[in-house]
Amino acid sequence: CFGFPLSIFFIVINEFCERFSYYGMKAVLILYFKYFLHWEDNFATAIYHTFVALCYLTPILGAIIADSWLGKFKTIVYLSIVYTIGQAVLSVGSINDLTDHNRDGSPDNVALHVALSMIGLILIALGTGGIKPCVSAFGGDQFEDDQEKQRSTFFSLFYLSINAGSLLSTIVTPNLRATECGIHTKQRCYPLAFGVPAILMAVALVVFVIGSKMYKKVKPQGNVMLQVSKCVGFAIRNRFQHRSKEFPKREHWLDWASEKYDKQLIAQTKMVLKVLFLYIPLPMFWALFDQQGSRWTLQATAMNGDFGILVQPDQMQIVNPILIVIMVPVVDYLVYPLIKKCKINFTPLKKMTVGMFLASMAFVAAALVQVQIDKTYPVFPAAGQAQIRLINLGVGPATVQFQPQLQSVDVAPNEATDYMTFETSKLQSLHIMSALQNKTEPLELVEGQRYTLAFKWGLFGINSNLILDNITSKPEEGKNLVRFINNYPFPVNVTMDDMAFGVLSPLSVSNYSVVAKQDWSFLIKASMPLGACTVLSKKFGFGSAYTISIDDCTNYKLNVTYFEDIAPNTVHMAWQIPQYFLLTCGEVVYSVTGLEFSYSQAPSNMKSVLQAGWLLTVAVGNIIVLIVAGASKLDKQWAEYVLFAALLLVVCIIFAIMASFYTYVDPNEIEAQFSEEKKKEDKKDQDDNEKEAEADSRM
């Protein structure tokens, strides 16, 4: 088809569906840990990066199975089945109603959900990691030796399908997660967010199997990674056994393998180990890079996602693939040629050093954003303290004196003060004074709690109500909390869309209700003895809490006053774009260049060894994150960002020093020399055999 084997289209479609499945599931995973399993941030981050590390460790297992035992086709099929089962198990584990027998909206058996989720993730890691080194190589096997151009085009299509799958899934699955579903109680729809990727993985498997009869299947040839490992192991063992001074030293420690392995394999292994030595600092880059899906997504939950359309926190990850599509051609066709024109020798290792530096700066940008976010967080009372706020619902100003002689506060009509912090043991009462009336309110505050004192005056004196504000943290996931206070002289029944707040007597307050929609105006309705009045609410923003006062009614229009209990998120998600831009620029000059460098410096038959080494650096990078997240005693997130930035900057300097000692080689030239030597040896052997035959004939 168009000069291509028809089979490669099945492989491209398979890769698109598989990448949609993986990136779609991964995009919402950290929020699933935090909001469904209710894990705290550090633990959720550690488990997330453990999963990613496992996904990049299993490719080595997949490559060994494919090359030494089953072959690429069977490895892809069998591990795709494991992969699909894992996605299905994860989706089932996220169904709230599975164990919510009392229908209170919370699972009754959290351990079962955790167990199913972990089993699902382990199976997914085995599946996605196991097939990772096989699919692209299997696609390359479909071409004949004279189809080099078509093979190159295939790899372009293959990587386009990867980016298309990740891009589309990062848009779709967070929206599926943000919808509400459930049999008994409506919750964030994680079963759908995980279920659609599971269906796509099943489609990927079916499509791949359909093309079975069209594939060119290469039999297992033996795994070169095992050969290299055996060669290295024998050299170390042999050197250890002959460590006394009576044995002469050899030029390189790998030369101790010459008793068992040929010179070409030893020379190729030396080239590979030189590159692998340079890989030692590389995991630190991935430690920062993969936090897009964990720490940066959690950071986005505390930000304002109103871009005209509502953007979910996990959807901000889409910035990376979009910028990659833009930046790769810009860097290749504009930046690099300009650098070349300036006659700067911008070698691959220098490019990788710049990539590390840019990633470090991305985390400095993330730290600056986090500092601004921290300023918007409410300050809650510490041990031994309580907080109190005043709301004046009257028509005239008032002065409140905190006793004994702590401070005085003036409160204007229909206004509220900020929360004021007091030592619980010292605050005994407060005295409310207006132009005509006074009242003393005794206080018995519980430490660590927040309170609101609402007051107004009428014909028979000042009426007041001390309300316990049972909020101990800022609302998560961008949700809002709303309650109503009745400033009417008679009872009213309050509703807001389909949410009922009950009948409120004068100056009484409803409980807080969760409002999930941030970009929505709700219809507030107050029913009273003489009729009903309505008004559209304001848009509450992200992560806020409000007390709404029902004041009066004019021509059936309800008049209300909003008192801000907790301010909404004011730092916009757009402020994350600079850090994504810096990290993506770092990825373009680091990751793409690193793979290119690895391939250019590796012998033709050992590309897979360096591919495995490259994937291993990603796994180790994620292990570094979970170690730091578990061991770090930093209580401020911005400080952790600065720590990672500093670590990568130090590693960047170390890598630059290591790179300055590296000598670039041409593996093809070295292999050609060995080939030439082998030809000479073969010719010499042939000549010797001919001479022996001639001598025998004379005898």
Side-chain angles (χ1 to χ4, degrees):
C1 183
F2 302 108
F4 294 94
L6 187 61
S7 56
I8 67 113
F9 294 101
F10 291 94
I11 295 169
V12 169
I13 294 168
N14 164 270
E15 185 65 12
F16 168 82
C17 294
E18 189 275 327
R19 290 290 87 186
F20 185 106
S21 176
Y22 175 72
Y23 283 108
M25 174 276 303
K26 187 165 164 267
V28 302
L29 189 59
I30 192 73
L31 299 187
Y32 171 69
F33 289 160
K34 180 169 182 176
Y35 297 124
F36 185 86
L37 298 181
H38 300 294
W39 290 345
E40 57 93 25
D41 287 3
N42 282 348
F43 187 67
T45 300
I47 298 299
Y48 174 90
H49 286 282
T50 302
F51 166 70
V52 177
L54 194 58
C55 289
Y56 283 93
L57 284 171
T58 49
I60 298 171
L61 179 65
I64 292 171
I65 291 171
D67 292 344
S68 305
W69 180 28
L70 293 177
K72 296 184 188 74
F73 175 75
K74 287 184 178 178
T75 301
I76 293 169
V77 171
Y78 294 159
L79 290 179
S80 291
I81 293 170
V82 172
Y83 195 164
T84 307
I85 293 170
Q87 289 280 31
V89 170
L90 178 62
S91 181
V92 170
S94 67
I95 299 173
N96 180 69
D97 294 303
L98 190 67
T99 63
D100 186 16
H101 305 301
N102 59 4
R103 302 183 183 183
D104 65 348
S106 298
D108 296 336
N109 188 354
V110 178
L112 177 64
H113 292 273
V114 171
L116 288 173
S117 300
M118 293 304 103
I119 291 168
L121 289 174
I122 290 169
L123 294 176
I124 291 168
L126 288 171
T128 188
I131 68 175
K132 195 186 290 289
C134 301
V135 180
S136 60
F138 186 70
D141 290 345
Q142 306 308 306
F143 295 88
E144 302 299 332
D145 292 339
D146 60 349
Q147 290 184 299
E148 194 60 42
K149 186 178 179 182
Q150 289 92 331
R151 184 186 281 111
S152 177
T153 305
F154 159 72
F155 282 116
S156 297
L157 282 171
F158 186 81
Y159 287 112
L160 180 65
S161 70
I162 290 173
N163 285 313
S166 67
L167 192 68
L168 191 60
S169 64
T170 311
I171 297 171
V172 172
T173 52
N175 277 331
L176 296 176
R177 176 196 65 81
T179 59
E180 292 190 340
C181 63
I183 300 170
H184 306 306
T185 56
K186 299 299 179 185
Q187 304 241 345
R188 294 295 195 198
C189 205
Y190 290 104
L192 189 59
F194 292 138
V196 169
I199 292 168
L200 262 290
M201 192 56 226
V203 170
L205 175 60
V206 170
V207 168
F208 186 75
V209 172
I210 287 172
S212 174
K213 292 183 179 179
M214 303 178 197
Y215 298 138
K216 179 182 173 184
K217 300 168 187 173
V218 179
K219 291 182 179 179
Q221 300 294 316
N223 194 284
V224 73
M225 282 191 290
L226 291 178
Q227 285 182 295
V228 171
S229 300
K230 287 177 180 177
C231 179
V232 171
F234 180 80
I236 294 170
R237 190 166 61 253
N238 196 28
R239 175 70 184 90
F240 182 75
Q241 289 171 352
H242 300 85
R243 61 187 182 277
S244 63
K245 292 181 180 179
E246 63 186 80
F247 296 102
K249 289 185 178 180
R250 302 191 183 182
E251 187 179 342
H252 191 282
W253 64 269
L254 262 176
D255 293 331
W256 287 94
S258 58
E259 281 89 339
K260 188 174 180 180
Y261 297 93
D262 63 73
K263 289 181 180 179
Q264 185 169 350
L265 177 64
I266 293 171
Q268 289 171 332
T269 305
K270 286 178 184 177
M271 285 187 274
V272 166
L273 291 182
K274 275 181 70 179
V275 179
L276 289 177
F277 177 71
L278 279 177
Y279 280 3
I280 292 172
L282 303 191
M284 201 66 223
F285 175 88
W286 300 113
L288 277 69
F289 181 82
D290 279 333
Q291 289 189 57
Q292 293 176 90
S294 57
R295 291 297 199 200
W296 285 12
T297 299
L298 292 173
Q299 184 186 61
T301 62
M303 301 176 80
N304 179 358
D306 186 3
F307 284 84
I309 59 169
L310 185 63
V311 173
Q312 298 297 327
D314 32 359
Q315 280 181 318
M316 279 304 289
Q317 297 172 59
I318 200 175
V319 175
N320 177 253
I322 289 174
L323 285 175
I324 281 184
V325 172
I326 297 168
M327 292 304 299
V328 168
V330 168
V331 169
D332 283 345
Y333 298 109
L334 184 63
V335 177
Y336 288 162
L338 280 174
I339 291 172
K340 195 173 181 180
K341 279 189 176 182
C342 295
K343 296 182 179 178
I344 298 172
N345 184 21
F346 202 34
T347 62
L349 293 178
K350 287 179 181 176
K351 292 175 185 176
M352 293 174 70
T353 305
V354 170
M356 287 183 175
F357 177 76
L358 289 172
S360 177
M361 292 303 100
F363 267 63
V364 172
L368 294 173
V369 171
Q370 189 64 46
V371 168
Q372 298 305 312
I373 292 172
D374 289 350
K375 290 178 181 177
T376 68
Y377 286 145
V379 178
F380 290 93
Q385 296 178 336
Q387 291 179 335
I388 189 166
R389 174 184 66 157
L390 308 171
I391 295 180
N392 183 358
L393 296 175
V395 294
T399 299
V400 177
Q401 170 70 53
F402 290 93
Q403 303 290 355
Q405 302 297 315
L406 295 175
Q407 67 181 83
S408 294
V409 181
D410 295 325
V411 191
N414 274 333
E415 293 288 340
T417 65
D418 294 329
Y419 281 95
M420 293 168 281
T421 304
F422 295 93
E423 295 294 326
T424 311
S425 58
K426 293 181 180 178
L427 183 59
Q428 299 173 1
S429 64
L430 52 80
H431 190 62
I432 307 169
M433 299 171 286
S434 67
L436 300 173
Q437 298 166 325
N438 298 316
K439 181 183 180 181
T440 297
E441 181 85 22
L443 297 174
E444 292 185 8
L445 307 182
V446 177
E447 67 176 51
Q449 296 292 342
R450 281 182 152 195
Y451 295 87
T452 294
L453 181 74
F455 60 87
K456 63 183 295 187
W457 43 90
L459 295 174
F460 303 104
I462 296 175
N463 298 319
S464 60
N465 185 11
L466 184 66
I467 307 151
L468 174 64
D469 298 341
N470 55 342
I471 306 176
T472 56
S473 63
K474 189 174 174 69
E476 293 184 325
E477 213 175 350
K479 294 178 181 178
N480 302 289
L481 296 173
V482 173
R483 66 180 179 181
F484 287 88
I485 185 168
N486 182 13
N487 196 20
Y488 248 52
F490 39 79
V492 294
N493 187 13
V494 182
T495 60
M496 191 170 78
D497 276 9
D498 57 349
M499 292 178 282
F501 290 85
V503 177
L504 304 178
S505 56
L507 219 60
S508 68
V509 180
S510 69
N511 293 324
Y512 281 107
S513 289
V514 177
V515 178
K517 294 180 179 178
Q518 295 91 350
D519 59 342
W520 201 266
S521 288
F522 301 85
L523 183 68
I524 300 173
K525 182 178 179 182
S527 301
M528 44 201 85
L530 299 177
C533 297
T534 59
V535 69
L536 281 175
S537 74
K538 64 180 286 183
K539 292 180 180 179
F540 296 111
F542 294 75
S544 64
Y546 285 93
T547 298
I548 304 175
S549 169
I550 304 293
D551 294 330
D552 56 34
C553 183
T554 308
N555 297 326
Y556 300 101
K557 182 182 178 182
L558 190 65
N559 296 316
V560 297
T561 304
Y562 294 87
F563 299 103
E564 195 175 81
D565 304 343
I566 294 177
N569 303 340
T570 53
V571 181
H572 202 276
M573 281 186 198
W575 284 107
Q576 279 196 321
I577 293 175
Q579 66 202 54
Y580 273 103
F581 175 76
L582 287 167
L583 192 63
T584 304
C585 289
E587 179 190 5
V588 169
V589 295
Y590 174 89
S591 183
V592 176
T593 307
L595 285 170
E596 177 193 330
F597 166 77
S598 301
Y599 272 67
S600 70
Q601 298 296 292
S604 56
N605 65 333
M606 294 196 179
K607 309 289 188 189
S608 60
V609 178
L610 286 184
Q611 176 71 9
W614 183 264
L615 294 174
L616 189 62
T617 65
V618 182
V620 175
N622 282 275
I623 292 169
I624 289 171
V625 179
L626 65 96
I627 290 171
V628 173
S632 174
K633 302 299 181 184
L634 300 171
D635 58 348
K636 295 291 184 183
Q637 185 56 54
W638 65 264
E640 186 179 289
Y641 288 146
V642 171
L643 173 63
F644 274 108
L647 288 173
L648 184 56
L649 195 58
V650 171
V651 168
C652 176
I653 295 167
I654 294 170
F655 180 76
I657 295 168
M658 291 171 63
S660 66
F661 290 100
Y662 183 82
T663 305
Y664 291 85
V665 296
D666 185 352
N668 294 329
E669 190 178 307
I670 295 171
E671 286 176 352
Q673 289 174 4
F674 276 103
S675 181
E676 191 65 33
E677 286 176 12
K678 194 170 189 309
K679 283 179 184 177
K680 286 178 181 178
E681 286 177 6
D682 290 344
K683 191 173 186 308
K684 186 175 178 296
D685 290 342
Q686 187 179 352
D687 291 343
D688 290 343
N689 290 335
E690 287 175 357
K691 285 178 182 178
E692 286 178 11
E694 188 179 339
D696 290 341
S697 64
R698 284 176 184 172
M699 289 174 66

